[in-house]
Every structure is written in structure tokens, then in C-alpha cells.
Amino acid sequence: MGAKNQALKNAARRRMAETGQSYEAALLDVRREYEQGQHGDEDHQGPMGFDEAPSADEYRPTARATAYITAWGIEDLFGRDQMKQLVQHAEKHGVPGAYDPITCHLCDEPVIVTQEKTVHIGLTLLQNMPSPGLPAPDEVTMPVWTHDSCGHPRVWAWSQLTLERRRRGLPVDTAHLPAKQHRRGRTQPPVEDYYVFTVPENSPPLFYLQPGEDHRHGPLGFRADRLSDGLPTLDFSREAPRALGSWSIAADRTGLLHIERQGTGRWYQPPRPWSPPADWLAAAHYHQGAIVLTAPAGSIPTARLEASTGDLSGLLPVGRREQLFGGRMTISGLS
């Protein structure tokens, strides 16, 4: 599924919700605007995941009616205690004349919590240079404040936030923008995403999905998107996959159709239904679900994926780097 087509479809769904148009009419309008240059290729984030993060939690101080809406994944990175500290910071500095005022990252205007019914709190991920003796760079997180009217809260890679600010006409440091994408020639179709079905012993069957092409914003962008989707990180060396109650896989007699999250919609849909082996389907029926995993492009060498060996041992170090996401999902439509 190409990034451009998926982005246009997501834009059409938003247009449909905003205007009440039919999906077909909204998609026609969005495509017409794209052809007129109103939707740029460089703003597309990738074929996987929701464009906008759903709201994960609310904090409502008793003093006022202001609601603090946080992005999915923010508690995994910050924790509840630190989230409460952010709300306390907002109550102290989100008022006129405050020292160190809160500023919306998507319009550069002050966020005055006494005048806002809803304040959004997201995160941006940055990477420092590796510390002495450490094999990987340290990850730094910073809160991202936004007005309700400016956009939904999400987790951003720094280059994603920089690109979105430029798209809105705000000043940016161009050194932080992602590398410019090259337009694909008509004879160069996109590389389809890879998928693997395995049946581990004494375990629900496993379905692994890996993008066929690198994320525009690199592994950090992939991580930010998956956290925004609400998918938890998974380190097999330390923990078992969680049961993701709001996530499910839809199936029918042709195979597995799509992966979705309740209340948000389809997270991923392949160009054609996936067709698992018979033993995988039998195991999924027995366990009433499957373990779904995803990681950035190149996590498992593509030659190994194309050889269909089912060898996913390379995901162990990916999980330790917090780049592996997923959990146990139910499957509807097998019976």
C-alpha cells in the first residue's frame, strides 16, 4: 500500500467526518486537491498507522473545567507521576504573565489554560550523541503543548515536528528537516511490506509485519508513530506480549483482512488479504487470537524474509532497543 494513496484515504476520512460528505465524494475532492498541488508528497508520514493520535487519558483538575488530553504512549515514556507534574506545570505557567509560559508547538501562540477547555500534551523524541561506553545514543523526551484547535496530541520524532511546523508556515531550523524524498518513477512500484506467519510452541501463533521501505523520519519516526498509535513496546527478553483488548484482526474466508483499533478504525490494511498457513489458522482458532509484532524496515534482513524461513531471532535485539511493538490481539471472523 503506497504512502501517497494511504495518506489521501486518511485525508478523505477526515474530510468525511468534518463535512458529512460520503467517503467517495470526500476522496474525489482530496485527490483533486492533490492534483492541484494542495497536498505535497513530502508531508506524507508513511503507509503504517493512524495519521492522528487518539486521546489516551484525561486529567481534570477540580479548580477548573480544563481537560488535559494526552497522546497514546506518553505514559509508557513519562509515567503517571511525571504526567501529573506536567499538569501542575501547566496550571502554574499557562496563565497570562507567567514566567516560562507554555507555547503551542503548532502555532507559536501562548497556551492559556484558564481560557482553554482542552489542552493537549504530546511528546517529541530526540537522540543525543552516545554516552561514553554506551553502544547507542540516549533518547531524550520533551513535552509538546498544543491547542485543541491546532491538532491532536501525538508522539513526534523531532524531524516530524519540524516538518509539520514548516508545513504550517512557522520558523524552523532546516537542519532538522528529514532528507528530501525522491519521486518514484512510473516503472518503480513501491516495495510491499513483508509479513511472516509462525507458530511458536505452546504459544499463540505469531504474525510479524515489517515495512518494505524505510520510514521517512528513520527508526525514531517509526517509534514515534507506533507509540502514537497506542502500540506498546515489547522486549521478549524481559516480558510476555500484553493482551491488547481494543485491538483486533478482521478475517473472512479469503484470509486476514485488516488490523484495527476499536474506536479509531483500521490501522493497517494490505493490498490483498493475507493468507496464513492452515496450521497457523488452526492455532489462532484454538488460542482465539494471535501475537502481532511490527518493527522498522530492515530489522530482519529482507533476504531472510523473502526466503520464508520464519527466523525472527533478530527481533530480540530490536526489542531491547525499544523498536519492537505489538501484543496479543483477538481475531474476528474465523468461526
Side-chain angles (χ1 to χ4, degrees):
M1 176 171 50
K4 184 192 82 173
N5 286 336
Q6 184 61 48
L8 293 179
K9 289 178 180 178
N10 288 339
R13 292 189 185 99
R14 291 196 301 271
R15 180 74 59 85
M16 178 177 63
E18 292 168 358
T19 65
Q21 288 179 286
S22 68
Y23 172 75
E24 291 76 12
L27 183 60
L28 187 64
D29 287 347
V30 168
R31 281 180 172 159
R32 186 183 303 114
E33 291 169 4
Y34 172 81
E35 291 170 358
Q36 294 172 355
Q38 297 179 39
H39 296 279
D41 281 345
E42 62 183 12
D43 293 330
H44 299 155
Q45 297 295 337
M48 298 178 66
F50 305 114
D51 273 1
E52 297 177 342
S55 302
D57 205 351
E58 289 190 8
Y59 298 87
R60 292 184 181 271
T62 56
R64 286 191 293 274
T66 304
Y68 293 87
I69 312 299
T70 63
W72 289 107
I74 194 170
E75 284 191 17
D76 287 346
L77 297 174
F78 265 17
R80 283 193 87 81
D81 288 343
Q82 197 167 355
M83 281 303 310
K84 291 178 180 178
Q85 292 176 21
L86 280 178
V87 172
Q88 293 168 0
H89 177 82
E91 295 284 300
K92 182 177 180 180
H93 296 276
V95 294
Y99 170 74
D100 188 23
I102 298 172
T103 303
C104 176
H105 284 69
L106 296 181
C107 74
D108 284 348
E109 294 296 324
V111 178
I112 308 299
V113 299
T114 55
Q115 300 174 6
E116 298 285 338
K117 291 184 178 180
T118 303
V119 175
H120 291 168
I121 309 176
L123 282 179
T124 185
L125 307 178
L126 305 93
Q127 284 188 332
N128 281 340
M129 295 299 293
S131 300
L134 294 179
D138 293 329
E139 183 177 274
V140 178
T141 57
M142 294 175 54
V144 173
W145 306 91
T146 51
H147 297 106
D148 180 50
S149 58
C150 289
H152 292 277
R154 62 157 294 153
V155 179
W156 306 80
W158 188 251
S159 61
Q160 286 177 314
L161 184 58
T162 303
L163 183 62
E164 179 61 19
R165 283 178 54 84
R166 191 188 70 163
R167 190 182 71 81
R168 294 170 184 242
L170 300 174
V172 299
D173 183 346
T174 56
H176 295 149
L177 289 169
K180 192 169 181 62
Q181 287 181 312
H182 297 287
R183 290 184 179 271
R184 191 189 308 278
R186 294 182 179 179
T187 59
Q188 295 178 293
V191 179
E192 290 191 9
D193 300 332
Y194 295 95
Y195 55 91
V196 177
F197 294 100
T198 63
V199 186
E201 188 176 359
N202 300 322
S203 166
L206 189 149
F207 172 58
Y208 174 61
L209 175 63
Q210 179 172 297
E213 299 182 330
D214 291 332
H215 194 283
R216 171 85 189 276
H217 300 269
L220 201 65
F222 182 91
R223 174 168 161 76
D225 284 355
R226 301 295 77 78
L227 288 168
S228 294
D229 296 338
L231 278 176
T233 57
L234 179 60
D235 182 353
F236 274 115
S237 66
R238 297 188 304 171
E239 59 188 326
R242 304 184 214 171
L244 306 179
S246 59
W247 290 81
S248 63
I249 308 170
D252 67 9
R253 60 182 179 80
T254 65
L256 306 183
L257 302 177
H258 60 262
I259 302 170
E260 66 182 7
R261 181 168 190 152
Q262 183 179 0
T264 311
R266 296 182 183 183
W267 173 74
Y268 189 91
Q269 181 169 338
R272 63 195 67 84
W274 295 300
S275 299
D279 61 339
W280 193 96
L281 286 171
H285 190 272
Y286 175 79
H287 288 279
Q288 298 184 335
I291 297 170
V292 177
L293 302 176
T294 186
S299 296
I300 300 292
T302 55
R304 188 186 303 171
L305 294 174
E306 290 169 350
S308 302
T309 63
D311 181 5
L312 299 178
S313 58
L315 293 180
L316 285 173
V318 177
R320 295 189 195 103
R321 297 194 301 268
E322 297 188 323
Q323 289 284 352
L324 178 64
F325 298 85
R328 184 169 174 172
M329 302 181 186
T330 59
I331 300 180
S332 62
L334 284 184
S335 57

